[in-house]
Amino acid sequence: VRVSRPTSSMLRHLAHPGPRSFLAAGQLRWCSGKVAGRDVVRMPRYPTLEPQGMLRGMDYIGTVSFGFSGGGLAALSGMDLLGTCGVGTLTALGGGTIRDALMLGKAPFWTEETEYVTIAVVSAAAAFAAIHFQNLDDKEAAALMDHPAVAITDTLGVAAFCIIGANGALKMAMPGGVAILCGISTATFGGMCRDVLCRRPVRILHSRAELYATCAMAGAATFTAATALGLPGGATTSMFIAFAVACAARTAASTYDLKLPTVRPIRVAP
């Protein structure tokens, strides 16, 4: 077997690795627009009292909230139980599915963590049951969807989803911009699919309601930037800061009815 001698370019590459090279363990940096390193959030399979396990718990809460609200809107639009469960599940899992399949090029997370499908389906079915068996009219059902508990859990879900989405991209050494987009998609694209199927104006594209996708973007961008800076405490610190930013942004938007400017008011087709 003939082995060629190392060339000068090969030796230079060994002495000065390319921009993808990692720093010492636990450190991260921007490299050619990419965050490289290993200090990212590694969640356990199920919720625990550890910081990463608490993020998993917030992820579960968000899945319940998104499944319930998505299922409720589907039921109000006239869908049957199957349609309600389908739309509710898509609302809860659609963002992460789009992130994994289209952006990160891997199997959707719920193909392995199948408990998410169960959580989403049960939550959507619960919304259908609450509206159907209590014979709620449109006004009462809308009030149920706007209940403070639904709003609070939705806020927690948006914060958790945007962090998990950005974290998934950073684990694969994706560029920072892609990480932010993954965070936004995880938190909002499921709702976008819900609105399309229910024939409603897409919430994240219209100022019909207060800021939503912008809050997810703030959380994902904060997590990505904090991870790149390598703050003391590592990924746990980045996670807590980003979670607080996303929750604060969503709460402020809801409290003060903050919206992005539009040229013309939205027109809803009859």
Side-chain angles (χ1 to χ4, degrees), residues 44-220:
R45 175 69 181 266
Y46 301 105
T48 67
L49 295 179
E50 297 294 326
Q52 292 81 3
M54 293 172 64
L55 183 61
R56 177 71 75 181
M58 294 297 103
D59 193 25
Y60 277 20
I61 290 174
T63 302
V64 171
S65 181
F66 281 36
F68 185 86
S69 62
L73 290 176
L76 288 176
S77 69
M79 293 189 185
D80 60 14
L81 178 59
L82 178 61
T84 296
C85 291
V87 171
T89 302
L90 183 60
T91 305
L93 308 182
T97 301
I98 294 173
R99 173 202 68 211
D100 289 343
L102 297 184
M103 299 181 183
L104 302 182
K106 62 179 184 178
F109 67 98
W110 49 264
T111 58
E112 294 183 0
E113 298 170 337
T114 55
E115 60 271 14
Y116 279 95
V117 178
T118 302
I119 294 172
V121 171
V122 171
S123 300
F128 182 90
I131 296 172
H132 178 71
F133 293 110
Q134 297 185 60
N135 294 319
L136 301 181
D137 58 27
D138 289 350
K139 184 177 181 180
E140 292 172 333
L144 177 63
M145 294 298 102
D146 292 334
H147 192 277
V150 176
I152 292 173
T153 54
D154 182 85
T155 297
L156 297 176
V158 169
F161 284 13
C162 71
I163 293 172
I164 292 170
N167 183 69
L170 295 181
K171 285 197 294 186
M172 299 181 67
M174 291 291 182
V178 174
I180 296 172
L181 182 58
C182 284
I184 297 171
S185 68
T186 305
T188 64
F189 281 13
M192 179 178 66
C193 296
R194 172 205 64 205
D195 291 340
V196 171
L197 292 175
C198 294
R199 299 182 180 180
R200 294 160 48 91
V202 178
R203 179 175 187 173
I204 65 172
L205 301 180
H206 300 85
S207 285
R208 175 176 54 87
E210 70 277 359
L211 296 177
Y212 200 89
T214 307
C215 303
M217 179 176 66

Side-chain angles (χ1 to χ4, degrees), residues 155 158-160 162-163 212 214-223 226 237-253:
T155 297
V158 169
C162 71
I163 293 172
Y212 200 89
T214 307
C215 303
M217 179 176 66
T222 300
F223 180 78
T237 301
S238 302
M239 180 185 72
F240 279 123
I241 293 175
F243 194 88
V245 168
C247 286
R250 186 75 190 95
T251 301

